[in-house]
């Protein structure tokens, strides 16, 4: 499994030690083809679907039971790491290969999947792969969305050999939208430091946090920094600074799992000797509970309005994203817990603060996620790293859970 | 005077109603030539010096007395206004023309001056004109400094016809550095709103504030905005926001005339879903009293260090400028006050929060500044405006003071 993961990182490898595999580019296509080839070696029925997702099927004896999918995504951010997505893809197909080799055909059909896209790095749209399978991303978006070079998603798909203007005529091995899915299990690196901090090898995801993204524009009066007394100023940056401070303070008071971040802040036409007249900043608010997330957001925006009013500033807020939290299934989480106990791996429950393909499956079928530690919490960087021991622990846990659902005690249970 | 001022604004006029006359460009050269031509019409001995300053001399009968200079600068910022600098240039030469026409030759030599550069808009260097006359700007700087197109100051000078590589061979009418200066009086728009706020027509400048400019770099840890709990963050922007807030609070507590401004703040590689790891911002601190300015600066930086330490951030500060305050001469200020009383103009004392050519003269000779109101405090913009009544009031005041020093009660006093 470690060897295959290392080999996969050669597709799109760059000088900094990172990996860049943007959707429908050559390194991406080569990587997906290598996945198919490996899946075939492992005895899986492998092939593309209409948008470039790769499936590797291990057919079960009970054709009436909905298959269990397991996998992650093959694409990366620019100069990303070797593990984000790729680990889940490799672990899933190797797990199925191992199960087939040792136990033969399962009762329930198991499918390893390598989603074409999750990161949203080339096109301003994430989850194109899993969203396509689950029906959350309609195909017509392909003509609407373009990358920074002006290439539409549709053109890029065609260029890579996926022509889906007529979905029924796509001629690909797997259907476009899947109607018949029993469940979904994804293994992924944590991309945070909670597991390391708590000294655990395995994280069992309780929910993928919901997210509200806003842009806040603060307008005051641009004035001469020397000739405008402090009391006569309407300083947009001083106001924005107070807003950033209150955001942090309220988030700390609200407590985990809420996080609130101002990641971008821009002083328009900012120069050292001018009192800033206009500032724009982003707000990223996440929580596992939708009502709490909404309430926090409303309370925060009320405070920002108060700050603006007191200072004679105006603010305008635009909501760019409102994604509700997605709960993972409790019984699947319990199976993962049992697998950790069987394997002797220290484990804990935790929410996922980052988005994952599993959040597209959560609303339509039982879904679960297994996390392994990220050293230093670093991700989306060539420095992304997970210890081999932890990769192996995660792999064993995944194999154990897939065995339960494919062959073992959970194999007869209708999902 | 108003007509000449309007005419001058046609050199470098742009569509937005503003004026752009960058040092040694064509509009700049045409404007200086128009000044010479107007000075000659007024009966002044007009010409360039080695760097492009224009002098218009009204010779006095007492050649042993050092001349009194009066003027301002001809250059503007990009898309600046019609009044900043130009008002002082026009008012000064028109005042001398008026005095000559009415009273003939003065006792003390009076000189109107149009400095070539004060704003620092084309080259990263301000006060090239007055700094040259007073000796604060050495000529060798001309080979060291380049504009954003890579043209050195020396090349730009030569292009405009000012070849000063050999200063003695410059062949210009006026010498490069002036050793024999009795005093300096400058009339200028306020570029702030204090006069309007206090309903005064004339401001008498007590001092030009000193200024400390710093760049502060705050370094924390860049992390995933979703997967990093609030308590595990080292958020450089949250830290910087607290620093901006404390700067404003301490400046308000310190009271006038201190001002402290964060005009530029940049989140390095800032994106909405990443906890900022690095922020850079500028600090601009001004005060009329050097020890108070220094003390404030040290106290503020200590607080910033405390904030950084408490948050596990590091800060680095670089001082880019430390210009001490320059006091204006009290007896000259009293003459201006008397002139206001004589003219029936409401007046007040105030510090200049902006820098002016007068601050180069303050350390070497008696110097004074007269301010007229800026509507809305707006400057460096096409919206820069001063009411005609106020321009005239300022002009009358200047004429009155120049009369005193050239012909009247102060004409025999050695400056």
């Amino acid at each position: 499994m470690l060897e295959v993961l290392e080999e996969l990182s050669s597709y799109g490898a760059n000088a900094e030690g990172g990996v860049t595999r943007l959707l429908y580019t050559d390194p991406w296509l080569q990587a997906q083809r290598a996945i198919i080839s490996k899946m075939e070696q492992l005895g899986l029925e492998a092939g593309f679907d209409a948008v470039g997702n790769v499936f590797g099927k291990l057919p079960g004896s009970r054709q009436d039971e909905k298959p269990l999918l397991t996998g992650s995504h093959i694409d990366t951010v620019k100069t990303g790491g070797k593990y984000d997505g790729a680990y889940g893809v490799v672990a899933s197909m190797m797990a199925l290969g191992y199960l087939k080799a040792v136990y033969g055909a399962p009762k329930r059909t198991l499918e390893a999947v390598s989603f074409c896209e999750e990161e949203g790095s080339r096109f301003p749209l994430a989850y194109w792969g899993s969203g396509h399978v689950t029906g959350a991303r309609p195909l017509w978006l392909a003509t609407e969305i373009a990358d920074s070079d002006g290439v539409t998603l549709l053109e890029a798909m065609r260029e890579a050999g996926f022509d889906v203007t007529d979905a029924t005529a796509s001629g690909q091995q797997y259907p476009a939208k899947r109607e018949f899915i029993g469940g979904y299990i994804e293994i992924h690196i944590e991309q945070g430091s909670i597991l390391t901090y708590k000294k655990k090898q395995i994280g069992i995801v309780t929910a993928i946090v919901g997210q509200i993204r806003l842009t806040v524009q603060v307008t005051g009066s641009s004035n001469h920094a020397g000739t405008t007394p402090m009391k006569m100023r309407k300083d947009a940056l001083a106001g924005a600074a107070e807003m950033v401070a209150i955001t942090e303070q309220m988030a700390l008071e609200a407590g985990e799992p809420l996080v609130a971040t101002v990641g971008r802040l821009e002083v328009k036409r900012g120069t050292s000797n001018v009192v800033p007249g206009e500032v724009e900043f982003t707000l990223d608010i996440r929580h596992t509970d939708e009502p709490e997330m909404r309430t926090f957001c409303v309370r925060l925006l009320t405070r920002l309005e108060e700050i603006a009013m007191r200072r004679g500033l105006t603010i305008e807020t635009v909501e760019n994203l409102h994604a509700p939290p997605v709960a993972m299934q409790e019984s699947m989480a319990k199976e993962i817990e049992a697998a950790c106990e069987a394997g002797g791996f220290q484990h804990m429950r935790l929410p996922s603060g980052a988005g994952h393909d599993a959040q597209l499956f959560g609303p339509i079928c039982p879904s679960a996620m297994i996390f392994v530690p990220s050293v230093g919490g670093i991700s989306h960087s060539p420095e992304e790293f997970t210890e081999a021991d932890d990769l192996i622990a995660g792999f064993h846990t995944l194999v154990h859970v897939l065995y339960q659902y494919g062959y073992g005690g959970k194999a007869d249970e209708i999902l």
Side-chain angles (χ1 to χ4, degrees), chain A:
Chain A
M1 200 269 304
L2 296 179
E3 275 166 29
V4 176
L5 183 56
E6 197 57 37
E7 192 196 317
L8 185 59
S9 73
S10 68
Y11 299 99
N14 39 42
E16 300 93 328
V19 181
T20 305
R21 281 193 303 259
L22 303 181
L23 179 63
Y24 300 138
T25 59
D26 276 347
W28 171 93
L29 190 57
Q30 286 160 18
Q32 284 293 61
R33 286 192 179 138
I35 294 289
I36 290 179
S37 156
K38 188 71 203 173
M39 283 175 166
E40 285 172 344
Q41 283 175 38
L42 294 167
L44 308 178
E45 295 173 8
F48 282 110
D49 76 357
V51 295
N53 294 317
V54 163
F55 290 91
K57 189 163 154 183
L58 177 56
S61 54
R62 300 197 168 175
Q63 291 298 313
D64 58 323
E65 269 189 24
K66 293 176 181 170
L68 178 71
L69 270 56
T70 179
S72 192
H73 60 94
I74 195 71
D75 69 313
T76 70
V77 297
K78 278 179 199 164
T79 325
K82 295 177 182 175
Y83 305 89
D84 182 358
Y87 170 55
V89 169
V90 171
S92 294
M93 72 176 175
M94 297 306 287
L96 264 51
Y98 171 82
L99 288 169
K100 181 177 183 183
V102 177
Y103 304 103
K107 291 180 185 174
R108 187 196 312 274
T109 297
L110 301 174
E111 291 187 47
V113 54
S114 172
F115 292 117
C116 62
E117 197 272 349
E118 185 256 13
E119 299 284 4
S121 294
R122 178 172 175 189
F123 296 93
L125 169 82
Y127 313 113
W128 180 239
S130 51
H132 191 72
V133 171
T134 57
R137 293 283 178 275
L139 258 177
W140 58 260
L141 278 171
T143 58
E144 303 273 311
I145 286 172
D147 66 11
S148 57
D149 295 327
V151 179
T152 66
L153 183 48
L154 185 66
E155 287 161 355
M157 288 173 79
R158 281 183 177 159
E159 179 77 18
F162 303 96
D163 191 339
V164 289
T165 36
D166 181 358
T168 56
S170 69
Q172 305 291 340
Q173 190 165 343
Y174 284 85
K177 179 173 180 311
R178 299 286 295 270
E179 300 291 352
F180 198 65
I181 303 172
Y184 178 73
I185 299 180
E186 180 170 1
I187 189 163
H188 203 282
I189 56 167
E190 181 198 347
Q191 303 180 276
S193 345
I194 297 175
L195 292 178
T196 307
Y197 186 70
K198 302 269 190 186
K199 298 197 170 65
K200 307 287 182 187
Q201 270 191 297
I202 302 290
I204 302 156
V205 175
T206 51
I208 297 169
V209 295
Q211 197 180 142
I212 295 177
R213 284 196 197 176
L214 300 153
T215 308
V216 181
Q217 190 153 334
V218 184
T219 309
S221 299
S222 179
N223 269 306
H224 195 294
T227 62
T228 317
M230 299 306 293
K231 285 182 184 167
M232 290 173 73
R233 297 180 175 204
K234 292 182 180 177
D235 184 333
L237 179 57
E242 195 182 340
M243 294 175 193
V244 172
I246 200 77
T247 301
E248 186 195 37
Q249 186 193 316
M250 283 178 65
L252 279 163
E253 286 165 10
E256 291 176 21
L258 182 129
V259 286
T261 307
V262 179
R264 190 172 65 76
L265 183 147
E266 205 183 324
V267 182
K268 302 293 170 97
R269 295 169 298 281
T271 29
S272 65
N273 58 349
V274 175
V275 178
E278 199 181 333
V279 171
E280 189 178 282
F281 64 87
T282 57
L283 271 176
D284 177 311
I285 297 159
R286 306 190 194 198
H287 200 294
T288 49
D289 183 83
E290 172 70 10
E292 290 208 33
M293 180 168 75
R294 268 177 201 275
T295 307
F296 178 85
C297 191
V298 169
R299 278 179 49 229
L300 176 60
L301 290 183
T302 308
R303 291 293 294 273
L304 301 193
E305 289 280 2
E306 283 168 11
I307 291 168
M309 200 173 295
R310 169 163 45 77
R311 288 175 169 271
L313 306 169
T314 57
I315 68 169
E316 271 185 65
T317 54
V318 177
E319 187 175 282
N320 304 312
L321 177 75
H322 188 145
V326 176
M328 299 289 98
Q329 204 211 28
E330 178 56 23
S331 73
M332 274 192 164
K334 284 218 172 90
E335 284 303 316
I336 300 170
E337 220 157 46
C340 290
E341 294 291 337
F345 307 129
Q346 293 291 315
H347 58 88
M348 69 178 286
R349 299 278 180 114
L350 84 174
S352 170
H356 292 290
D357 289 307
Q359 78 196 56
L360 282 287
F361 288 92
I364 64 161
C365 66
S367 301
M369 281 198 84
I370 302 168
F371 274 176
V372 293
S374 294
V375 173
I378 299 164
S379 185
H380 288 186
S381 149
E383 276 88 54
E384 186 178 271
F385 183 67
T386 298
E387 299 286 353
D389 274 2
D390 296 335
L391 293 171
I392 296 298
F395 178 64
H396 281 308
T397 305
L398 178 66
V399 168
H400 195 284
V401 174
L402 291 174
Y403 176 84
Q404 286 301 316
Y405 281 94
Y407 305 80
K410 288 277 183 176
D412 297 315
E413 195 174 287
I414 292 168
L415 292 176

